[in-house]
Amino acid sequence: MKFKKVIARFDADNIDLAEEVICHIFFSFNLKGVICEVPIPEPDEGFGTRTLKIPDQNSIIGYLPDTDDSDIMISKIRARLAGLSDMAVQVDVLSETVDEKDWAHAWKAYFNVTRITDKIIVKPEWKDYTPGPGEVIIRIDPGMAFGTGTHPTTCMCLALLEEHVRPGKTLLDVGCGSGILMIGAAKLGAGAMTGIDVDPVAVDITRQNLEKNGIALDRVTLGAVTLDKTPEIQYDLICTNIIAQVIVSIMPDIAARLAPDGTAILSGIIEERLPDIYAALDMQHLECVKKITREEWVALVVCRKK
Ligand SMILES: C[S@@+](CC[C@H](N)C(=O)[O-])C[C@H]1O[C@@H](n2cnc3c(N)ncnc32)[C@H](O)[C@@H]1O
């Protein structure tokens, strides 16, 4: 199958905010395999060969199936992105036709064995790593789904899961992507788990990655649905790593599924969006009890107000 590769090259005063807004527009047009390329080197954690290439400009890249309508769709994307000039974001949109096989694996060069915490290591399926004593190894092949563990928002979720998962605790992962957070939680001792994602490809990839990590699927429920379409079961832990705008919109559904003494881990938030998140928490009688940051990203630990 052929795809249209859509590249939004951009410049802005606030690169993180521009990245978030452009990604959101890409997702709203249902572009798949969205990746962000900004000229910031990932730290070399000392594992294996460093293969990360540093791009020379900021780009968001996504893919559309190549159909009769795809050029019209790209014109609409271009028009939406042109509207960002009001926010001092300059975007130049390019597109090219590619084969699925050309891009489905292209990102793999960017993905190395990554230490997330003293305990948690994320390992690409195709790289070797000999675990040290007590280390939790998450084996991942994200395919076309988000979640290699190299993104600050995923790292923070995993670190917070390590603090909050206790044996047998139930977990809901909203926007499971590659399944990386569910695998981490399961290996840290979580009990029954539910993972949902609006992208059915992500749900398939999550299932495959859970199996590759030897996690029994009989304690896992997966669905390509939005949270409001799931039963109001209460969970000990809820994690979600999605942009702030989505988290705000699903906050009532998160609150309805959080056990009375439960903990929610919210990530994917940039500093500028925190006031919106705090307002949404307040409306649901939830409060932030811990905030951590990496680069411009924030992750919150949230509980019910006492
Ligand atoms: C940033 S990725 C996070 C993936 C993984 N959980 C991680 O932490 O690396 C966000 C995921 O949320 C999904 N998503 C976006 N909006 C959603 C929504 N309203 N409900 C459920 N999933 C959503 C996307 O398809 C994507 O797979």
Side-chain angles (χ1 to χ4, degrees):
M1 184 176 181
K2 298 244 181 236
F3 281 78
K4 287 281 190 196
K5 177 178 181 180
V6 184
I7 307 156
R9 294 205 174 129
F10 68 98
D11 201 4
D13 294 339
N14 185 334
I15 296 296
D16 289 308
L17 183 60
E19 186 182 310
E20 188 195 1
V21 174
I22 297 169
C23 280
H24 185 66
I25 291 174
F26 270 32
F27 285 130
S28 72
F29 280 93
N30 210 17
L31 268 70
K32 302 294 184 198
V34 175
I35 57 167
C36 310
E37 287 191 345
V38 290
I40 301 169
E42 293 282 337
D44 182 352
E45 298 278 350
F47 295 107
T49 312
R50 181 173 173 148
T51 50
L52 187 66
K53 285 179 282 181
I54 302 172
D56 52 8
Q57 46 191 322
N58 307 304
S59 307
I60 307 293
I61 299 167
Y63 298 84
L64 281 174
D66 190 10
T67 63
D68 293 345
D69 297 335
S70 45
D71 285 336
I72 298 170
M73 190 75 90
I74 291 168
S75 307
K76 288 183 182 169
I77 294 169
R78 192 172 274 123
R80 278 282 293 283
L81 293 174
L84 298 181
S85 58
D86 294 348
M87 291 172 56
V89 180
Q90 284 76 45
V91 192
D92 189 15
V93 180
L94 316 170
S95 72
E96 58 187 86
T97 307
V98 296
D99 281 323
E100 182 172 12
K101 63 178 167 43
D102 291 342
W103 66 274
H105 301 290
W107 54 271
K108 286 187 174 177
Y110 291 72
F111 184 20
N112 273 317
V113 177
T114 307
R115 177 176 292 281
I116 307 293
T117 65
D118 287 347
K119 189 169 185 176
I120 302 175
I121 307 281
V122 179
K123 185 186 93 65
E125 184 57 13
W126 55 93
K127 289 209 174 156
D128 293 330
Y129 178 75
T130 308
E135 282 183 349
V136 165
I137 309 298
I138 302 174
R139 299 162 52 143
I140 283 288
D141 183 346
M144 290 183 233
F146 182 102
T148 57
T150 55
H151 198 272
T153 59
T154 310
C155 291
M156 289 192 290
C157 281
L158 286 169
L160 291 172
L161 281 170
E162 184 180 324
E163 287 178 20
H164 291 278
V165 170
R166 298 283 176 275
K169 279 203 173 187
T170 57
L171 174 96
L172 168 65
D173 182 4
V174 185
C176 53
S178 64
I180 186 167
L181 303 182
M182 297 179 76
I183 296 163
K187 294 201 169 186
L188 291 164
M193 300 188 297
T194 299
I196 60 167
D197 201 293
V198 284
D199 181 355
V201 174
V203 174
D204 282 345
I205 289 168
T206 291
R207 186 177 296 106
Q208 290 164 24
N209 278 322
L210 287 164
E211 283 178 329
K212 282 176 189 158
N213 282 271
I215 293 154
L217 293 181
D218 58 2
R219 61 159 152 150
V220 173
T221 307
L222 295 173
V225 287
T226 49
L227 188 53
D228 56 316
K229 301 288 187 304
T230 66
E232 285 192 17
I233 298 167
Q234 306 240 296
Y235 294 87
D236 301 316
L237 278 169
I238 299 179
C239 58
T240 187
N241 177 15
I242 314 183
I243 59 170
Q245 197 174 341
V246 174
I247 297 179
V248 166
S249 72
I250 63 173
M251 199 70 87
D253 297 308
I254 291 176
R257 288 158 184 79
L258 190 64
D261 289 322
T263 302
I265 295 169
L266 311 179
S267 189
I269 302 161
I270 56 169
E271 284 276 356
E272 286 87 339
R273 300 282 164 154
L274 271 179
D276 301 343
I277 295 281
Y278 287 144
L281 286 173
D282 202 46
M283 284 183 68
Q284 301 304 323
H285 305 288
L286 299 172
E287 64 181 347
C288 170
V289 292
K290 181 170 180 174
K291 171 186 157 197
I292 61 171
T293 56
R294 264 200 196 199
E295 298 168 22
E296 298 297 309
W297 298 95
V298 179
L300 306 179
V301 178
V302 163
C303 297
R304 291 194 185 284
K305 283 185 186 171
K306 297 295 175 210

